[in-house]
Amino acid sequence: MPEHQRSNLAFQKNNETPSSEETLSGRVVDRHQEDQEKSSDDEEKGGHDGPPQPAGFFDKRLKKVRFQVFGLWARTTLILSVFILAVLSLYWAVLFHVEQNISSLTVFVVDFDGRVAPFTGVTPLVGPMITQTTEMMLSAPDPHLGYETMDPAVFDNNPLLVRQAVFDWKAYAAIIIMPNATAMLQQAVDQANTTYDPLGACQVVYVEARDETTYLNYIIPQLSTLETQITSKFGQMWTSMVLQNTSIPRENLQRVPQALSPAIGFSQFNLRPFRPAVMTPTVTIGLIYLIILSFFSFSFYLPIHMKFVSSEGHPPLKFPVFIVWRWSATIVAYFFLSLSYSLISLAFQVPFANHSAETTAVANNPEPYGKGTFVVYWAINYVGMIALGLACENVAMVIGQPWTALWLIFWVITNVSTSFYSLDLAPKFYYWSSKLPDRRYSSYTAASG
C-alpha cells in the first residue's frame, strides 16, 4: 500500500477512537448527571443520606401517618372512656341505695322488763312502750334501722348474752330494756328513792370498731334520735300517770325529780371503741397502699427474673420452672415487705401489747393474743399481700403493658369500694365481693380484740 494511503487510514482511525482524556471526562459528566438525579430523588423523599428532616404537621408526606395516629388516638380514648364509666361506677354505686338499705342494719330490741324474777309481778310499762315505738318505726316511710324485737328466752333471759350476740356481729346494735326498768321507776316515786338513776332502765350496746364509718354516719345518729323520741314520749305518759295518782305523796316527787323527768334513759355501751385515731390508716387508706405496693413490686422484680430467660451464654429456664420461680420469689419477698408495712403501725404506737378483756365488757384496744398480737397483725398483712399481689402478678403476665395500669385501677376500686363500706348498705350486686382480699382483711380485729 502506498505511503499516502496508510497515512489517511491512520488519520481516520484516530478520529473514530476517542482519546483517554475524552473518555474520562465523559464518565465524569455521566456520574454528575446520576448524582443530580439521585439528589433530586432524595429531596423528594425528604432529605439526603442522613435522617429525614423535620416536617410540619400538615406536610403531605405525613398524611398516612396522621390518619393512623388519629385512629389510634380515637380508639384509645374510647377504651379509656368506657373503662372509666364501667369501673369507676363501681365506687359510686356502692352507696347508691344507702337510704333504702339502712333497714339492713339489724338492731335487736330485747325487752326483759318484768319478765325475769324477782320482777315478774310488776306490770311492765317501759318495755312495751319501747317495743311499740320501734315496731311503729318499721312501717314509717323514712329511712330507719332494722329493729328486730327478740324474745328474751332466745338469750336465756340474760342481758349479757345480748351483748355477746352484738360482739359476735349477729346484730349491729341492741336495745336492752332491763328486767327492773318499771319496778325501779315505781319504787323511786313510791319510796322517794333518791339513788334512782334513769340511765339504769335501758342499755344501748354496739361495737364501733366493727365499722367506724357505718356507726358514726348511720347507726349512732338514728339511735340518738330514737332515744330522744322514746324519752320524750314516755316522760309525758309517765308524768300524767303519776300526777293522777293521788296516793303518791308530793314530797316524794320533790325529792326524786329525775323519776319524773326524764324518768328513763339509755346507757351507752360501746364494747370496742375505734381508737386511737392513728389506727385509721390500717383499715382504710393503708389498704390501698398495700395493693399498690403489691402491684409495683412486679415491675421491680421483672428484670431480675428475666435473667433466667435472656440468652447470655446460658440456656433459658423452662417455662413451668420459670413461673414457679417467680411465684416463689414473690411470696418470699412479700414476707419482708409486709414486715416493713407492719412496722409503720408499730412505730406510730398503734397498741399491740394490751391485756385481753371480756367480750361483754367495754374495753379500749384489748389484745386477745397478748404480746403476740403484732406477729398476728404481720401475718395478716403477709397473707393479704399474697392474695393481692399474686393476682397482679398473674394478670400482668397475661395482658402485659399498658393494660396492667387499667388492671391496677380495677383492682383498687373493687377492693376499696367493698371494704371501706358495709356490704349491708350496698346493692346486692356487690355481695360477690365478700371474697375479695381487702374485704376479708381483718387487721383491726387482730389489733383491737
Side-chain angles (χ1 to χ4, degrees):
M1 181 179 296
E3 184 70 25
H4 67 276
Q5 290 181 354
R6 284 206 269 319
S7 300
N8 290 336
L9 287 174
F11 179 78
Q12 292 175 1
K13 187 176 181 180
N14 290 336
N15 288 338
E16 292 175 359
T17 304
S19 64
S20 59
E21 294 179 357
E22 291 176 348
T23 302
L24 180 61
S25 62
R27 290 177 180 176
V28 171
V29 171
D30 293 340
R31 182 172 296 177
H32 180 67
Q33 291 176 351
E34 291 176 359
D35 291 342
Q36 286 182 338
E37 293 176 358
K38 184 177 181 180
S39 176
S40 62
D41 291 341
D42 289 341
E43 288 179 357
E44 291 179 359
K45 293 180 180 180
H48 300 283
D49 293 338
Q53 296 298 316
F57 185 80
F58 294 100
D59 192 294
K60 63 180 181 179
R61 292 168 293 177
L62 297 177
K63 181 179 180 180
K64 185 178 181 180
V65 177
R66 279 198 304 271
F67 279 111
Q68 291 177 347
V69 170
F70 289 156
L72 293 173
W73 177 88
R75 186 183 68 178
T76 304
T77 304
L78 177 62
I79 292 174
L80 293 178
S81 299
V82 173
F83 179 85
I84 290 172
L85 290 172
V87 176
L88 268 67
S89 295
L90 293 174
Y91 186 79
W92 266 257
V94 75
L95 297 176
F96 187 61
H97 289 160
V98 167
E99 288 74 15
Q100 296 92 315
N101 293 340
I102 285 183
S103 58
S104 299
L105 304 178
T106 304
V107 177
F108 288 162
V109 181
V110 189
D111 179 16
F112 292 96
D113 191 14
R115 298 190 180 189
V116 180
F119 308 104
T120 53
V122 178
T123 302
L125 297 175
V126 179
M129 185 267 180
I130 293 178
T131 55
Q132 290 173 10
T133 302
T134 55
E135 289 172 358
M136 288 176 58
M137 293 190 69
L138 294 177
S139 59
D142 298 331
H144 54 76
L145 298 174
Y147 300 106
E148 185 175 344
T149 303
M150 303 292 291
D151 189 341
V154 175
F155 306 98
D156 294 332
N157 295 316
N158 187 350
L160 289 180
L161 293 183
V162 181
R163 291 194 187 188
Q164 185 65 47
V166 175
F167 184 87
D168 294 337
W169 292 16
K170 294 180 180 179
Y172 277 88
I175 300 173
I176 304 174
I177 300 94
M178 301 304 292
N180 59 350
T182 300
M184 293 299 293
L185 179 60
Q186 290 179 344
Q187 185 187 47
V189 296
D190 290 340
Q191 302 177 10
N193 182 9
T194 57
T195 62
Y196 173 73
D197 184 2
L199 296 179
C202 307
Q203 296 180 359
V204 174
V205 182
Y206 57 93
V207 181
E208 181 189 10
R210 175 180 175 179
D211 190 341
E212 180 197 21
T213 301
T214 300
Y215 277 97
L216 294 182
N217 290 343
Y218 309 110
I219 298 177
I220 294 178
Q222 291 238 2
L223 288 177
S224 298
T225 302
L226 176 66
E227 293 168 15
T228 302
Q229 181 179 348
I230 290 175
T231 302
S232 175
K233 184 177 179 181
F234 184 83
Q236 295 176 13
M237 180 190 71
W238 175 248
T239 301
S240 176
M241 291 177 57
V242 170
L243 294 179
Q244 290 176 9
N245 190 346
T246 58
S247 64
I248 300 176
R250 292 297 180 261
E251 293 80 4
N252 290 1
L253 302 182
Q254 294 175 358
R255 294 180 61 184
V256 285
Q258 70 272 24
L260 283 180
S261 178
I264 63 171
F266 295 83
S267 298
Q268 306 291 322
F269 291 89
N270 183 3
L271 300 181
R272 294 297 182 269
F274 187 91
R275 60 176 64 99
V278 72
M279 212 153 206
T280 302
T282 64
V283 293
T284 54
I285 304 302
L287 300 183
I288 299 178
Y289 298 151
L290 199 66
I291 299 175
I292 295 175
L293 288 173
S294 303
F295 174 83
F296 280 105
S297 63
F298 168 83
S299 302
F300 285 96
Y301 288 111
L302 181 61
I304 301 174
H305 299 324
M306 295 305 295
K307 294 288 185 181
F308 281 116
V309 296
S310 60
S311 56
E312 296 180 358
H314 62 79
L317 200 63
K318 292 182 179 180
F319 182 75
V321 180
F322 177 69
I323 297 300
V324 172
W325 155 255
R326 287 185 60 167
W327 285 345
S328 302
T330 300
I331 291 174
V332 173
Y334 288 159
F335 181 81
F336 298 100
L337 296 178
S338 62
L339 173 60
S340 299
Y341 176 83
S342 303
L343 287 174
I344 297 175
S345 297
L346 187 64
F348 284 91
Q349 301 180 7
V350 171
F352 287 109
N354 293 344
H355 296 291
S356 60
E358 293 292 334
T359 55
T360 57
V362 175
N364 292 324
N365 305 113
E367 309 299 350
Y369 309 104
K371 294 183 179 180
T373 301
F374 176 77
V375 179
V376 176
Y377 174 69
W378 174 17
I380 292 174
N381 287 331
Y382 176 49
V383 174
M385 205 166 189
I386 292 175
L388 294 167
L390 286 186
C392 296
E393 182 89 8
N394 295 335
V395 172
M397 286 191 293
V398 174
I399 64 177
Q401 297 291 347
W403 309 109
T404 52
L406 299 184
W407 158 257
L408 175 61
I409 297 174
F410 169 80
W411 197 227
V412 169
I413 288 178
T414 52
N415 278 275
V416 167
S417 60
T418 56
S419 62
F420 285 15
Y421 307 102
S422 172
L423 281 184
D424 293 319
L425 295 176
K428 291 183 178 180
F429 166 80
Y430 289 89
Y431 286 5
W432 58 268
S433 64
S434 61
K435 304 303 180 183
L436 286 176
D438 271 3
R439 186 66 202 173
R440 309 300 297 176
Y441 196 89
S442 56
S443 59
Y444 186 75
T445 302
S448 67

